[in-house]
Amino acid sequence: MFEKIIEISILYDFYGQLLTAKQQEILKLYYEDNYSLSEIAEVFTISRQGVHDAVKKAEKALHEYEEKLGLVHKFTATENAISAIDRELEQLIIENIENEKLTARLRDMKDIIDKIND
Amino acid sequence: MFEKIIEISILYDFYGQLLTAKQQEILKLYYEDNYSLSEIAEVFTISRQGVHDAVKKAEKALHEYEEKLGLVHKFTATENAISAIDRELEQLIIENIENEKLTARLRDMKDIIDKIND
């Protein structure tokens, strides 16, 4: 279940703006604010089944955007690579702590990575 | 003019799959294969003005996707950061060429970056 929430959350971060305002609102209430289907049904004065269908339809749309564009996949691969470099820089800094000139340069590279993640 | 071609080309790489098949085809003929508007008009048996409008409409759609999602901007910032790190690693390898252990580690980091760009 958690895995699904994370997956939808990432897809939403990338493609959420392509959904309708109502779809965005329903997904936010459901996944971010943990509203139940019945509670969301009350907010929008539609049936519980209607909310269920809207959630499924919005999720399907997000998956279809990823199938077409693959930008989450592309971005995740890049982020994993950057994390690996970040960890290796950290390690090299520790191992070369007496070499101030070198560690300054390594720290500058780590700063560049930190700025990406801001 | 070149700048515009590059801009559309990047936007197309990211969001082209969200355009209709016909829009994709027209943009490809126009920007990749350098067909004139008249030549494209012949292919689709529509007016030259019709092709012109279709190109403008497709370009506008690509720009709107970027306005909504900003993924080209996000990606470009990351790629620039990675390029900066790549250049600095190259430099450090040259400066520390006698230190085989260190340069091996630096090269491993460069390999990770090269793999991203494959």
Side-chain angles (χ1 to χ4, degrees), chain A residues 14 17-18 65 68-69 71 74-75 78 81-82 85 88 91-92 95 102 105 109 112-113 116, chain B residues 14 17-18 65 68-69 71 74-75 78 81-82 85 88 91-92 95 102 105 109 112-113 116:
Chain A
F14 272 75
Q17 292 302 312
L18 296 179
Y65 286 128
K68 280 188 180 164
L69 306 185
L71 296 173
K74 192 176 169 185
F75 223 81
T78 302
I82 291 172
I85 291 172
E88 177 66 351
Q91 195 56 39
L92 275 177
E95 292 173 25
L102 175 63
R105 302 272 290 275
M109 283 193 273
I112 293 173
I113 291 175
I116 301 174
Chain B
F14 273 75
Q17 292 301 313
L18 297 178
Y65 286 128
K68 280 187 181 165
L69 306 185
L71 297 173
K74 193 176 169 186
F75 225 80
T78 303
I82 290 172
I85 291 172
E88 177 66 352
Q91 196 56 40
L92 275 178
E95 292 174 25
L102 175 63
R105 302 271 291 274
M109 283 193 272
I112 294 173
I113 291 175
I116 300 174

Side-chain angles (χ1 to χ4, degrees), chain B residues 16-35:
Chain B
Q17 292 301 313
L18 297 178
L19 300 176
T20 66
K22 192 173 173 183
Q23 283 179 315
Q24 292 180 41
E25 190 62 28
I26 289 177
L27 283 193
K28 264 194 214 163
L29 289 173
Y30 191 58
Y31 283 110
E32 255 183 54
D33 305 332
N34 292 309
Y35 275 47

Side-chain angles (χ1 to χ4, degrees), chain A residues 51-108:
Chain A
V51 178
H52 176 265
D53 293 348
V55 168
K56 289 293 149 207
K57 196 178 162 190
E59 288 177 1
K60 187 162 173 269
L62 292 176
H63 280 292
E64 282 172 356
Y65 286 128
E66 176 60 9
E67 272 164 42
K68 280 188 180 164
L69 306 185
L71 296 173
V72 171
H73 175 78
K74 192 176 169 185
F75 223 81
T76 307
T78 302
E79 300 235 311
N80 288 344
I82 291 172
S83 294
I85 291 172
D86 195 39
R87 285 192 302 274
E88 177 66 351
L89 285 171
E90 183 71 49
Q91 195 56 39
L92 275 177
I93 290 168
I94 294 169
E95 292 173 25
N96 293 278
I97 199 72
E98 307 91 31
N99 186 339
E100 274 178 36
K101 264 191 183 167
L102 175 63
T103 53
R105 302 272 290 275
L106 297 172
R107 278 206 184 88
D108 285 344

